[in-house]
Amino acid sequence: MVKASPSEAIALGPHQQNDVQETTRKKSSLLKQTWKQITVDFIMRTKVHGLKFIFSPDKTKPQQVIWVMAFFVCVSLLITWSMNRILYLMSYPVVTKIYMVWAHNMSFPAVTFCNKNVFRVSTLTKSDLYHSGYWMDLMYPNHTVMERSLAILKDSHKKSLLSLLDFNNYTRPPNYRINTTEMMGRLGHQLEDMLLVCKFRGETCTYKNFSTIYTRYGKCYTFNSGLDGNPLLTTLKGGTGNGLEIMLDIQQDEYLPVWGETDETSYEAGIKVQIHSQDEPPFIDQLGFGVAPGFQTFVSCQQQLLQYLPPPWGDCKSTPIDSEYFSTYSITACRIDCETRYLLENCNCRMVHMPGTSTVCTPEQYKDCADPALDFLVEKDNDYCVCQTPCNMTRYGKELSMVKIPSKASAKYLAKKFNKTEQYIGENILVLDIFFEALNYEKIEQKKAYEIAGLLGDIGGQMGLFIGASVLTILEIFDYLYEVFKDKVLGYCIRKKRPQRCQSDNLEFPENPTSPGVTPNHAPRAPVTPSGVTRTVSDSRRTCYLVTRL
């Protein structure tokens, strides 16, 4: 607190009060001039084109009007283009890039194949027919044979089956429950009987190089599955002879006669093949391609690596799969998981090819519930199993070509080699040759077409084009706003916080105590200090007066 000397301790009269008020008005006017001066200085020094000409005193009114119109037109174009770019960014556009990548070696894909026939006739037993005849559409639910089926069997000369269908002396074992998985594994075509020749990169392979897997076609086999503990096979070259070549006997004589329409009966002869990565299970009944006997089929493959963007740019699934059966997400894993849950909810059992440890459906459950439910789910219910595309997936493009086998020159040799007739060779033998077209793969990548950097670049370019502004110009605007804020807001707060004159300042003390109207007896008397010095104004009044003056 500033204290006045005794000489400054004077009483405040009307003239002093007028001086204080005038000083306050001058300071308020000075603040207003400061704000205006700041604005003028900003307009004259800013890099924004046009502002200095709008407020220039050297320009005539028509010129200023033209500059105002030109400035607002440019600002409008800038805002319009900036909004267009912002809306384009908010639409999350994408572009797809495709390019080839060459490699020194490539992992060979998994190859799964199934015989189109599920059950071999020669391996059926009376117990199998008794418990699964209804499933095969051969018998009624009460285990009596259909007359239509008997007529077909007599015409097809399947005498062995006719003898098995006589259940007069057959007694069902007590508490017997058929094991559908065991039955399908035992009745299915065995690879050691079908596989005649196997070569990979020119080296011999056997049925031991294949692993067993179950699909809707029953017992199937996968080459290079990665599930048998062996490392994944690789190839060093493209073209035939550098992949997998197998010769198979499809055993048409073992095909079950077709006496009705069921999901387990087949009108075709041959095998179904699917080429897939080791990370996804086979979905061969929907994604496989057929190979017919009597032909050598060449399958030229090209690996494709696909990368998609997650939402909001795309609709791929980037989160891990929520499944107790699979650890890696794929469309086939999602479909199989969904179908398994659907059957467990509706039939309280699962099919043989489905994962898990739940109870496997019996042949009767297959016929009455599982097959119809799964057919309905696959063909008509599009809302229950909705599987998104994974953000990263491997696919194999295929080109198929085929030639006739055997030729007339090789028919006798092959018949003698495999101890079969020439007719049997022509009806049952097929050759499948799978290889990479070249030692490269195609990468299809989805990328963001527009990002924040592009938005800033576009807006910055338009700012420079239309109003000559840049990032530093924006800083100038912020600096101007700060100065205005400091003078207007902070100045107002400072004025509000300044102390007011003390209440005693409102008392009127005439400069001359003996002036008219005031008698000496009524004039205020100055206090006397112990030292004998007379004070005309109290300390508190003197202090308030000095603060006000400051």
Side-chain angles (χ1 to χ4, degrees):
M1 180 69 69
V2 180
K3 294 184 179 181
S5 59
S7 62
E8 292 177 329
I10 59 176
L12 288 178
H15 296 288
Q16 286 84 352
Q17 295 180 17
N18 293 335
D19 292 343
V20 171
Q21 294 176 357
E22 183 66 23
T23 302
T24 304
R25 284 195 297 269
K26 288 182 178 180
K27 289 185 177 180
S28 176
S29 175
L30 183 60
L31 285 174
K32 293 181 180 178
Q33 291 177 359
T34 302
W35 175 80
K36 292 180 180 179
Q37 187 63 40
I38 290 173
T39 303
V40 172
D41 292 342
F42 168 75
I43 292 173
M44 299 307 297
R45 75 171 188 270
T46 183
K47 302 301 180 183
V48 178
H49 294 174
L51 284 180
K52 63 180 66 177
F53 299 107
I54 293 175
F55 297 97
S56 175
D58 300 332
K59 299 295 181 182
T60 64
K61 289 295 183 181
Q63 288 178 316
Q64 290 179 334
V65 170
I66 293 174
W67 275 107
V68 168
M69 293 175 60
F71 178 77
F72 280 104
V73 167
C74 291
V75 171
S76 300
L77 292 175
L78 172 63
I79 295 175
T80 302
W81 178 256
S82 300
M83 289 302 299
N84 175 271
R85 293 293 87 192
I86 292 174
L87 293 176
Y88 181 62
L89 177 69
M90 298 303 294
S91 67
Y92 304 104
V94 297
V95 293
T96 302
K97 294 186 177 181
I98 304 175
Y99 47 92
M100 301 296 298
V101 180
W102 294 86
H104 297 288
N105 59 73
M106 294 179 62
S107 296
F108 199 75
V111 180
T112 300
F113 69 90
C114 309
N115 200 310
K116 292 288 291 183
N117 182 60
V118 180
F119 303 123
R120 291 177 297 160
V121 173
S122 64
T123 57
L124 285 170
T125 64
K126 188 181 290 289
S127 177
D128 294 333
L129 287 175
Y130 183 83
H131 292 94
S132 61
Y134 174 60
W135 180 24
M136 300 176 186
D137 205 29
L138 180 64
M139 303 168 57
Y140 294 110
N142 59 0
H143 303 288
T144 58
V145 183
M146 297 180 180
E147 293 78 7
R148 178 192 61 188
S149 303
L150 287 174
I152 294 175
L153 286 176
K154 290 177 181 178
D155 294 339
S156 62
H157 306 287
K158 298 291 185 179
K159 303 298 182 182
S160 59
L161 274 180
L162 287 173
S163 61
L164 293 176
L165 291 174
D166 184 9
F167 299 109
N168 293 327
N169 298 323
Y170 177 77
T171 302
R172 178 180 178 179
N175 300 324
Y176 176 78
R177 179 180 176 86
I178 188 170
N179 188 333
T180 311
T181 305
E182 183 274 333
M183 184 185 72
M184 294 189 74
R186 175 171 47 84
L187 300 182
H189 290 265
Q190 306 303 313
L191 184 59
E192 51 267 31
D193 299 330
M194 288 195 300
L195 188 62
L196 302 179
V197 177
C198 177
K199 290 183 179 180
F200 180 75
R201 290 175 52 189
E203 298 182 2
T204 302
C205 51
T206 66
Y207 68 92
K208 295 181 180 180
N209 297 103
F210 294 77
S211 57
T212 302
I213 189 170
Y214 289 93
T215 69
R216 289 204 74 181
Y217 288 120
K219 194 174 186 179
C220 302
Y221 304 93
T222 302
F223 178 79
N224 195 33
S225 66
L227 302 176
D228 51 5
N230 296 324
L232 297 181
L233 300 175
T234 59
T235 182
L236 304 176
K237 296 180 182 179
T240 59
N242 295 287
L244 176 65
E245 183 179 356
I246 56 176
M247 178 183 285
L248 297 174
D249 178 7
I250 65 170
Q251 302 174 324
Q252 280 203 65
D253 291 345
E254 294 281 7
Y255 275 38
L256 197 66
V258 179
W259 45 64
E261 295 184 6
T262 67
D263 290 336
E264 279 65 42
T265 56
S266 174
Y267 301 131
E268 308 89 11
I271 63 173
K272 202 77 175 287
V273 183
Q274 182 182 355
I275 301 173
H276 57 96
S277 67
Q278 288 78 10
D279 295 331
E280 59 178 328
F283 208 47
I284 198 167
D285 58 306
Q286 296 190 29
L287 302 179
F289 61 92
V291 178
F295 293 93
Q296 179 171 1
T297 304
F298 299 93
V299 184
S300 175
C301 299
Q302 184 180 47
Q303 188 183 58
Q304 296 174 334
L305 299 182
L306 293 89
Q307 295 182 356
Y308 299 102
L309 290 176
W313 295 272
D315 57 355
C316 71
K317 181 178 176 60
S318 58
T319 57
I321 184 173
D322 184 16
S323 171
E324 58 180 308
Y325 310 121
F326 301 99
S327 58
T328 303
Y329 180 83
S330 64
I331 296 179
T332 55
C334 173
R335 289 292 302 274
I336 294 174
D337 177 85
C338 179
E339 291 176 357
T340 303
R341 289 185 286 105
Y342 186 81
L343 283 193
L344 290 175
E345 292 174 4
N346 292 273
C347 302
N348 295 320
C349 64
R350 62 180 177 89
M351 289 184 169
V352 172
H353 71 276
M354 293 178 174
T357 58
S358 303
T359 304
V360 179
C361 299
T362 62
E364 289 81 5
Q365 288 175 313
Y366 260 87
K367 177 72 174 180
D368 294 334
C369 184
D371 282 336
L374 189 56
D375 291 341
F376 174 80
L377 178 65
V378 172
E379 297 173 4
K380 298 181 180 180
D381 193 348
N382 298 321
D383 298 327
Y384 190 84
C385 289
V386 179
C387 295
Q388 295 177 287
T389 302
C391 292
N392 295 278
M393 63 181 298
T394 301
R395 189 175 62 185
Y396 293 92
K398 299 173 287 292
E399 292 183 2
L400 276 68
S401 60
M402 57 189 65
V403 295
K404 185 75 174 65
I405 190 175
S407 64
K408 291 183 178 180
S410 64
K412 291 183 180 180
Y413 169 75
L414 291 176
K416 184 177 180 180
K417 179 179 180 181
F418 298 113
N419 195 23
K420 303 292 184 180
T421 64
E422 294 183 24
Q423 182 182 0
Y424 184 92
I425 295 295
E427 293 178 350
N428 293 275
I429 301 301
L430 63 84
V431 177
L432 179 63
D433 194 352
I434 301 174
F435 55 90
F436 281 122
E437 179 181 3
L439 212 62
N440 58 27
Y441 60 91
E442 189 177 48
K443 192 169 185 179
I444 303 174
E445 188 174 4
Q446 198 177 56
K447 288 191 172 183
K448 301 174 185 177
Y450 200 65
E451 298 186 69
I452 296 296
L455 175 67
L456 295 179
D458 285 345
I459 294 179
Q462 300 306 317
M463 287 175 60
L465 175 64
F466 289 118
I467 61 175
S470 65
V471 176
L472 296 180
T473 308
I474 297 175
L475 294 180
E476 289 180 1
I477 295 175
F478 280 115
D479 180 71
Y480 162 72
L481 295 176
Y482 168 73
E483 293 292 338
V484 172
F485 174 81
K486 183 177 66 174
D487 282 338
K488 298 294 289 182
V489 179
L490 296 183
Y492 175 77
C493 294
I494 292 174
R495 290 194 304 272
K496 291 287 290 183
K497 291 181 179 180
R498 281 178 178 172
Q500 301 295 326
R501 293 193 303 268
C502 297
Q503 185 176 2
S504 59
D505 292 341
N506 295 328
L507 298 177
E508 294 185 359
F509 295 92
E511 296 180 0
N512 187 2
T514 61
S515 61
V518 178
T519 60
N521 296 331
H522 294 89
R525 299 185 62 182
V528 180
T529 61
S531 59
V533 180
T534 303
R535 296 192 306 173
T536 61
V537 183
S538 66
D539 291 339
S540 60
R541 288 184 57 197
R542 181 173 64 250
T543 301
C544 292
Y545 171 73
L546 289 176
V547 168
T548 306
R549 292 285 299 222
L550 289 176

